[in-house]
Amino acid sequence: MNDLTYAILGSGALGGLYGARLARAGAEVHFLLRSDYEHVRAHGLRIDSKDGDFHLPNVNAYANVEDMPRCEVVIVALKTTMNHLLPQLLPPVVKQGGIVLTLQNGLGVEAQAAEAAPGAEVLGGLCFLCSNKVGPGHIHHLDYGEIRLGRYTPDGRPGGITDTMRRIAADLNESGTPTTLMEHLELARWQKLVWNVPFNGLSVILDATTDRIMADAHGRRLAEALMLEVVEGAGACGLPIDRADVDDMLDRTVRMTPYRTSMMIDHDRGQPMEVEAIFGAPLRAAREAGAATPKLEMVYELLKFLDGGAVVMKTQVAGHS
Protein backbone atom coordinates (compact mmCIF):
# COMPACT_ATOMS: atom_id res chain seq x y z
CA MET A 1 0.00 0.00 0.00
CA ASN A 2 1.02 3.63 -0.50
CA ASP A 3 1.27 5.92 2.53
CA LEU A 4 -1.94 7.80 1.69
CA THR A 5 -4.47 8.42 4.47
CA TYR A 6 -8.16 8.08 3.65
CA ALA A 7 -11.39 9.55 5.02
CA ILE A 8 -14.74 7.99 4.10
CA LEU A 9 -17.72 10.36 4.17
CA GLY A 10 -20.74 8.08 3.86
CA SER A 11 -19.94 4.63 5.22
CA GLY A 12 -22.89 2.71 3.80
CA ALA A 13 -23.19 0.03 1.14
CA LEU A 14 -20.57 1.66 -1.07
CA GLY A 15 -18.25 3.67 1.16
CA GLY A 16 -18.31 1.06 3.89
CA LEU A 17 -17.30 -1.71 1.49
CA TYR A 18 -14.48 0.14 -0.25
CA GLY A 19 -13.22 1.72 2.98
CA ALA A 20 -13.22 -1.61 4.81
CA ARG A 21 -11.26 -3.22 1.98
CA LEU A 22 -8.65 -0.46 2.11
CA ALA A 23 -8.35 -0.79 5.90
CA ARG A 24 -8.08 -4.58 5.71
CA ALA A 25 -5.23 -4.18 3.19
CA GLY A 26 -3.31 -1.95 5.60
CA ALA A 27 -4.30 1.62 4.68
CA GLU A 28 -5.08 4.18 7.36
CA VAL A 29 -8.82 4.81 6.95
CA HIS A 30 -11.15 7.05 8.96
CA PHE A 31 -14.94 6.57 8.71
CA LEU A 32 -17.64 9.20 9.27
CA LEU A 33 -20.85 7.50 10.42
CA ARG A 34 -24.31 8.62 11.47
CA SER A 35 -26.82 6.13 12.87
CA ASP A 36 -24.27 3.27 12.85
CA TYR A 37 -21.61 5.11 14.85
CA GLU A 38 -22.08 3.44 18.24
CA HIS A 39 -22.50 -0.03 16.70
CA VAL A 40 -19.44 0.23 14.45
CA ARG A 41 -17.33 1.70 17.21
CA ALA A 42 -18.21 -1.26 19.43
CA HIS A 43 -18.44 -4.08 16.89
CA GLY A 44 -16.63 -2.95 13.73
CA LEU A 45 -17.72 -3.53 10.14
CA ARG A 46 -18.97 -6.83 8.75
CA ILE A 47 -18.73 -7.46 5.00
CA ASP A 48 -20.52 -10.38 3.34
CA SER A 49 -19.10 -10.50 -0.18
CA LYS A 50 -19.10 -12.69 -3.25
CA ASP A 51 -15.31 -12.25 -3.08
CA GLY A 52 -15.09 -13.54 0.49
CA ASP A 53 -16.61 -12.48 3.81
CA PHE A 54 -14.59 -10.61 6.41
CA HIS A 55 -14.94 -8.71 9.66
CA LEU A 56 -13.07 -5.50 10.46
CA PRO A 57 -13.18 -5.43 14.29
CA ASN A 58 -11.30 -2.17 14.92
CA VAL A 59 -12.55 0.83 12.97
CA ASN A 60 -11.53 4.47 13.16
CA ALA A 61 -15.13 5.66 13.59
CA TYR A 62 -16.33 9.24 14.08
CA ALA A 63 -19.72 10.83 14.59
CA ASN A 64 -18.52 14.35 13.72
CA VAL A 65 -16.25 15.44 10.89
CA GLU A 66 -14.56 17.96 13.21
CA ASP A 67 -13.14 15.06 15.23
CA MET A 68 -11.51 13.44 12.20
CA PRO A 69 -7.86 13.96 11.27
CA ARG A 70 -7.10 15.73 8.02
CA CYS A 71 -6.52 13.14 5.31
CA GLU A 72 -4.81 13.13 1.93
CA VAL A 73 -7.74 11.43 0.16
CA VAL A 74 -11.32 12.19 1.16
CA ILE A 75 -13.81 9.79 -0.44
CA VAL A 76 -17.32 11.20 -0.77
CA ALA A 77 -19.70 8.22 -0.78
CA LEU A 78 -22.79 10.08 0.40
CA LYS A 79 -26.05 10.07 -1.51
CA THR A 80 -26.12 13.10 -3.79
CA THR A 81 -29.24 14.28 -1.93
CA MET A 82 -26.82 15.22 0.89
CA ASN A 83 -24.35 17.21 -1.23
CA HIS A 84 -25.64 20.47 0.22
CA LEU A 85 -23.65 19.45 3.32
CA LEU A 86 -20.30 19.29 1.50
CA PRO A 87 -19.29 22.88 2.40
CA GLN A 88 -19.51 21.84 6.06
CA LEU A 89 -18.08 18.33 5.68
CA LEU A 90 -15.07 18.74 3.39
CA PRO A 91 -13.01 21.70 4.70
CA PRO A 92 -12.29 20.20 8.16
CA VAL A 93 -11.03 16.85 6.83
CA VAL A 94 -9.19 17.60 3.55
CA LYS A 95 -5.47 18.04 4.06
CA GLN A 96 -3.92 21.06 2.33
CA GLY A 97 -3.20 20.05 -1.26
CA GLY A 98 -5.28 16.91 -0.75
CA ILE A 99 -7.64 15.00 -3.01
CA VAL A 100 -11.42 14.71 -2.98
CA LEU A 101 -12.72 11.58 -4.70
CA THR A 102 -16.45 11.47 -5.37
CA LEU A 103 -17.92 7.98 -5.60
CA GLN A 104 -21.41 9.12 -6.53
CA ASN A 105 -23.96 8.74 -9.30
CA GLY A 106 -25.11 11.30 -11.83
CA LEU A 107 -23.72 14.49 -13.34
CA GLY A 108 -22.31 17.60 -11.70
CA VAL A 109 -21.16 16.05 -8.43
CA GLU A 110 -17.47 16.88 -8.93
CA ALA A 111 -18.30 20.56 -9.48
CA GLN A 112 -20.09 20.61 -6.13
CA ALA A 113 -17.08 19.03 -4.41
CA ALA A 114 -14.67 21.45 -6.07
CA GLU A 115 -16.71 24.43 -4.90
CA ALA A 116 -16.85 23.06 -1.34
CA ALA A 117 -13.11 22.30 -1.16
CA PRO A 118 -11.20 25.02 -3.06
CA GLY A 119 -7.58 24.13 -3.66
CA ALA A 120 -8.17 20.37 -3.56
CA GLU A 121 -7.65 18.14 -6.58
CA VAL A 122 -11.00 16.59 -7.44
CA LEU A 123 -11.37 13.11 -8.92
CA GLY A 124 -14.51 11.24 -9.86
CA GLY A 125 -15.08 7.54 -9.48
CA LEU A 126 -17.77 5.51 -11.21
CA CYS A 127 -18.69 2.44 -9.19
CA PHE A 128 -20.05 -0.62 -10.97
CA LEU A 129 -21.33 -2.34 -7.87
CA CYS A 130 -24.25 -4.32 -6.51
CA SER A 131 -24.09 -3.80 -2.76
CA ASN A 132 -26.65 -3.21 -0.01
CA LYS A 133 -26.46 -2.24 3.63
CA VAL A 134 -28.45 -4.93 5.45
CA GLY A 135 -27.96 -3.90 9.07
CA PRO A 136 -25.91 -1.64 11.35
CA GLY A 137 -22.31 -1.91 10.20
CA HIS A 138 -23.29 -4.85 7.98
CA ILE A 139 -22.85 -4.72 4.19
CA HIS A 140 -23.82 -7.37 1.64
CA HIS A 141 -21.79 -7.19 -1.58
CA LEU A 142 -23.65 -9.16 -4.26
CA ASP A 143 -21.87 -8.56 -7.56
CA TYR A 144 -19.31 -6.55 -9.52
CA GLY A 145 -17.24 -3.90 -7.68
CA GLU A 146 -15.04 -2.15 -10.28
CA ILE A 147 -14.24 1.57 -9.99
CA ARG A 148 -13.41 3.72 -13.02
CA LEU A 149 -11.42 6.74 -11.94
CA GLY A 150 -11.06 10.07 -13.77
CA ARG A 151 -9.85 13.63 -13.12
CA TYR A 152 -12.38 16.45 -12.92
CA THR A 153 -11.89 19.48 -15.17
CA PRO A 154 -14.25 22.49 -14.93
CA ASP A 155 -14.68 22.63 -18.73
CA GLY A 156 -15.52 18.91 -19.02
CA ARG A 157 -12.53 18.15 -21.25
CA PRO A 158 -10.32 15.07 -20.79
CA GLY A 159 -8.23 15.46 -17.64
CA GLY A 160 -5.57 12.91 -18.42
CA ILE A 161 -4.06 10.49 -15.93
CA THR A 162 -2.03 11.83 -13.01
CA ASP A 163 0.43 10.27 -10.57
CA THR A 164 -2.13 10.80 -7.80
CA MET A 165 -4.68 8.78 -9.71
CA ARG A 166 -2.14 5.98 -10.18
CA ARG A 167 -1.35 5.89 -6.45
CA ILE A 168 -5.00 5.72 -5.42
CA ALA A 169 -5.73 3.09 -8.08
CA ALA A 170 -2.79 1.02 -6.83
CA ASP A 171 -4.21 1.08 -3.29
CA LEU A 172 -7.70 0.17 -4.48
CA ASN A 173 -6.40 -2.66 -6.67
CA GLU A 174 -4.31 -4.02 -3.81
CA SER A 175 -7.36 -3.92 -1.53
CA GLY A 176 -9.34 -6.12 -3.93
CA THR A 177 -11.20 -3.42 -5.86
CA PRO A 178 -10.43 -3.52 -9.61
CA THR A 179 -9.76 0.06 -10.69
CA THR A 180 -9.41 1.47 -14.20
CA LEU A 181 -8.05 4.93 -14.96
CA MET A 182 -10.07 7.01 -17.42
CA GLU A 183 -8.81 9.90 -19.56
CA HIS A 184 -12.24 11.53 -19.90
CA LEU A 185 -14.40 11.66 -16.75
CA GLU A 186 -17.37 13.47 -18.31
CA LEU A 187 -17.70 10.82 -21.04
CA ALA A 188 -17.41 8.06 -18.45
CA ARG A 189 -20.21 9.65 -16.42
CA TRP A 190 -22.56 9.65 -19.42
CA GLN A 191 -21.63 6.04 -20.15
CA LYS A 192 -22.61 5.11 -16.59
CA LEU A 193 -25.92 6.96 -17.00
CA VAL A 194 -26.76 4.67 -19.91
CA TRP A 195 -27.35 1.97 -17.26
CA ASN A 196 -28.31 4.08 -14.25
CA VAL A 197 -31.13 6.00 -15.91
CA PRO A 198 -33.25 3.05 -17.08
CA PHE A 199 -32.70 0.63 -14.23
CA ASN A 200 -32.85 3.05 -11.31
CA GLY A 201 -35.88 4.77 -12.79
CA LEU A 202 -37.82 1.72 -13.92
CA SER A 203 -37.09 -0.21 -10.73
CA VAL A 204 -39.00 2.46 -8.80
CA ILE A 205 -41.80 3.12 -11.28
CA LEU A 206 -42.43 -0.58 -12.02
CA ASP A 207 -41.55 -1.80 -8.50
CA ALA A 208 -39.30 -4.41 -10.10
CA THR A 209 -35.79 -5.74 -9.65
CA THR A 210 -33.38 -5.84 -12.59
CA ASP A 211 -34.13 -9.47 -13.44
CA ARG A 212 -37.89 -8.84 -13.62
CA ILE A 213 -37.39 -5.83 -15.89
CA MET A 214 -35.19 -7.80 -18.27
CA ALA A 215 -37.38 -10.93 -18.24
CA ASP A 216 -40.39 -8.96 -19.51
CA ALA A 217 -40.45 -7.89 -23.16
CA HIS A 218 -42.11 -4.56 -22.32
CA GLY A 219 -39.66 -3.85 -19.51
CA ARG A 220 -36.68 -4.61 -21.72
CA ARG A 221 -37.97 -2.36 -24.50
CA LEU A 222 -38.49 0.47 -22.04
CA ALA A 223 -34.96 0.04 -20.68
CA GLU A 224 -33.46 -0.02 -24.18
CA ALA A 225 -35.42 3.05 -25.29
CA LEU A 226 -34.21 5.03 -22.27
CA MET A 227 -30.64 3.90 -22.89
CA LEU A 228 -30.80 5.14 -26.47
CA GLU A 229 -32.12 8.52 -25.33
CA VAL A 230 -29.17 8.86 -22.94
CA VAL A 231 -26.86 8.02 -25.85
CA GLU A 232 -28.65 10.69 -27.90
CA GLY A 233 -28.22 13.25 -25.12
CA ALA A 234 -24.54 12.44 -24.69
CA GLY A 235 -23.93 12.72 -28.43
CA ALA A 236 -25.60 16.13 -28.51
CA CYS A 237 -23.19 17.21 -25.76
CA GLY A 238 -20.25 16.12 -27.91
CA LEU A 239 -19.70 12.83 -26.08
CA PRO A 240 -20.41 9.98 -28.52
CA ILE A 241 -21.31 6.58 -27.09
CA ASP A 242 -21.38 3.49 -29.30
CA ARG A 243 -24.65 1.59 -29.76
CA ALA A 244 -22.67 -1.57 -28.99
CA ASP A 245 -22.30 -0.29 -25.40
CA VAL A 246 -26.09 -0.43 -25.03
CA ASP A 247 -26.25 -4.03 -26.22
CA ASP A 248 -23.38 -4.99 -23.92
CA MET A 249 -25.07 -3.42 -20.88
CA LEU A 250 -28.35 -5.16 -21.65
CA ASP A 251 -26.57 -8.52 -21.91
CA ARG A 252 -24.65 -7.90 -18.66
CA THR A 253 -27.88 -7.01 -16.86
CA VAL A 254 -29.45 -10.28 -17.92
CA ARG A 255 -26.49 -12.17 -16.43
CA MET A 256 -26.10 -10.13 -13.25
CA THR A 257 -27.40 -11.18 -9.83
CA PRO A 258 -31.03 -9.97 -9.41
CA TYR A 259 -30.69 -6.54 -7.85
CA ARG A 260 -32.79 -3.95 -6.05
CA THR A 261 -31.26 -0.66 -7.15
CA SER A 262 -30.24 1.95 -4.61
CA MET A 263 -33.03 4.21 -5.81
CA MET A 264 -35.60 1.46 -5.33
CA ILE A 265 -34.34 0.90 -1.77
CA ASP A 266 -34.47 4.64 -1.01
CA HIS A 267 -38.04 4.84 -2.31
CA ASP A 268 -39.18 1.78 -0.37
CA ARG A 269 -37.73 3.32 2.80
CA GLY A 270 -39.42 6.66 2.19
CA GLN A 271 -36.06 8.39 1.77
CA PRO A 272 -35.23 11.09 -0.81
CA MET A 273 -34.12 9.68 -4.15
CA GLU A 274 -31.20 10.90 -6.28
CA VAL A 275 -33.55 12.19 -8.98
CA GLU A 276 -31.74 15.44 -9.76
CA ALA A 277 -28.22 14.02 -10.10
CA ILE A 278 -29.20 10.94 -12.15
CA PHE A 279 -32.13 12.34 -14.18
CA GLY A 280 -32.48 16.11 -13.84
CA ALA A 281 -28.87 17.05 -14.63
CA PRO A 282 -28.52 14.94 -17.82
CA LEU A 283 -32.01 15.93 -18.94
CA ARG A 284 -31.15 19.62 -18.69
CA ALA A 285 -27.78 19.10 -20.39
CA ALA A 286 -29.38 17.20 -23.26
CA ARG A 287 -32.11 19.82 -23.65
CA GLU A 288 -29.58 22.68 -23.73
CA ALA A 289 -27.62 20.79 -26.40
CA GLY A 290 -30.74 20.43 -28.55
CA ALA A 291 -31.50 16.73 -27.99
CA ALA A 292 -35.08 15.51 -27.67
CA THR A 293 -35.41 13.00 -24.82
CA PRO A 294 -39.18 12.65 -24.16
CA LYS A 295 -39.01 9.29 -22.37
CA LEU A 296 -36.26 10.52 -20.07
CA GLU A 297 -38.37 13.60 -19.32
CA MET A 298 -41.41 11.45 -18.54
CA VAL A 299 -39.42 9.24 -16.16
CA TYR A 300 -37.99 12.34 -14.49
CA GLU A 301 -41.47 13.81 -13.89
CA LEU A 302 -42.80 10.49 -12.56
CA LEU A 303 -39.90 10.16 -10.15
CA LYS A 304 -40.30 13.74 -8.95
CA PHE A 305 -43.95 12.98 -8.22
CA LEU A 306 -43.09 9.77 -6.37
CA ASP A 307 -40.22 11.43 -4.51
CA GLY A 308 -42.52 14.20 -3.30
CA GLY A 309 -45.15 11.64 -2.32
CA ALA A 310 -42.62 9.67 -0.30
CA VAL A 311 -41.63 12.79 1.64
CA VAL A 312 -45.28 13.65 2.32
CA MET A 313 -46.02 10.08 3.44
CA LYS A 314 -42.96 10.04 5.70
CA THR A 315 -44.05 13.36 7.26
CA GLN A 316 -47.58 12.06 7.81
CA VAL A 317 -46.34 8.88 9.44
CA ALA A 318 -44.04 10.88 11.70
CA GLY A 319 -46.94 13.11 12.66
CA HIS A 320 -49.01 10.11 13.80
CA SER A 321 -46.23 8.53 15.84
Side-chain angles (χ1 to χ4, degrees):
M1 298 292 285
N2 288 293
D3 58 356
L4 296 169
T5 55
Y6 291 86
I8 309 292
L9 306 185
S11 303
L14 187 150
L17 171 66
Y18 292 136
R21 282 180 168 180
L22 284 166
R24 179 183 60 166
E28 181 183 329
V29 186
H30 301 270
F31 296 82
L32 180 67
L33 298 120
R34 293 187 299 161
S35 58
D36 289 5
Y37 168 69
E38 294 291 348
H39 180 92
V40 171
R41 188 180 178 193
H43 304 287
L45 285 168
R46 175 183 166 189
I47 310 295
D48 297 338
S49 172
K50 72 175 187 67
D51 299 323
D53 302 344
F54 67 95
H55 176 228
L56 198 67
N58 301 311
V59 174
N60 297 318
Y62 306 83
N64 298 295
V65 72
E66 292 82 4
D67 298 329
M68 301 176 73
R70 290 187 179 272
C71 295
E72 282 135 337
V73 182
V74 179
I75 294 177
V76 179
L78 301 164
K79 295 285 187 182
T80 56
T81 53
M82 298 179 67
N83 276 8
H84 62 282
L85 298 176
L86 291 180
Q88 288 77 50
L89 294 175
L90 286 175
V93 74
V94 181
K95 187 173 282 191
Q96 186 173 3
I99 302 101
V100 177
L101 168 56
T102 62
L103 299 184
Q104 296 182 302
N105 286 320
L107 289 181
V109 294
E110 286 82 21
Q112 293 173 317
E115 184 176 357
E121 180 179 356
V122 178
L123 307 177
L126 293 88
C127 303
F128 297 81
L129 175 70
C130 296
S131 181
N132 299 136
K133 179 180 164 187
V134 294
H138 186 187
I139 296 160
H140 185 199
H141 169 216
L142 293 88
D143 211 346
Y144 298 107
E146 177 194 1
I147 294 177
R148 295 180 187 173
L149 192 64
R151 180 171 173 265
Y152 167 69
T153 58
D155 60 7
R157 296 184 181 220
I161 294 172
T162 66
D163 288 341
T164 298
M165 290 168 60
R166 291 189 180 93
R167 292 176 69 198
I168 294 171
D171 281 353
L172 288 167
N173 279 313
E174 188 174 339
S175 76
T177 298
T179 303
T180 303
L181 299 180
M182 308 291 290
E183 293 270 358
H184 198 166
L185 178 61
E186 191 76 2
L187 174 59
R189 284 224 164 265
W190 276 96
Q191 289 170 327
K192 178 87 182 294
L193 285 167
V194 174
W195 193 93
N196 267 343
V197 163
F199 290 101
N200 275 285
L202 293 177
S203 68
V204 173
I205 294 167
L206 302 178
D207 189 24
T209 50
T210 53
D211 58 316
R212 286 188 56 210
I213 293 169
M214 292 303 293
D216 183 270
H218 304 287
R220 181 173 179 133
R221 280 198 295 270
L222 280 170
E224 184 174 2
L226 283 165
M227 285 178 158
L228 292 174
E229 283 200 353
V230 175
V231 170
E232 180 76 15
C237 294
L239 301 166
I241 298 174
D242 199 295
R243 166 61 203 243
D245 292 345
V246 172
D247 296 330
D248 180 62
M249 288 186 195
L250 288 169
D251 291 342
R252 285 172 177 265
T253 307
V254 170
R255 299 194 303 270
M256 73 187 286
T257 302
Y259 186 56
R260 292 175 70 222
T261 67
S262 60
M263 187 169 281
M264 184 180 186
I265 291 171
D266 288 341
H267 179 258
D268 289 348
R269 291 175 177 171
Q271 296 173 342
M273 297 184 290
E274 298 181 287
V275 180
E276 287 304 324
I278 299 176
F279 296 87
L283 176 61
R284 288 186 287 272
R287 186 183 293 155
E288 289 171 10
T293 54
K295 293 181 179 65
L296 173 58
E297 185 167 358
M298 177 66 75
V299 169
Y300 170 75
E301 298 295 349
L302 287 167
L303 291 171
K304 291 295 283 187
F305 174 83
L306 292 171
D307 203 28
V311 172
V312 170
M313 182 63 71
K314 190 173 182 181
T315 303
Q316 290 174 341
V317 170
H320 286 294
S321 60

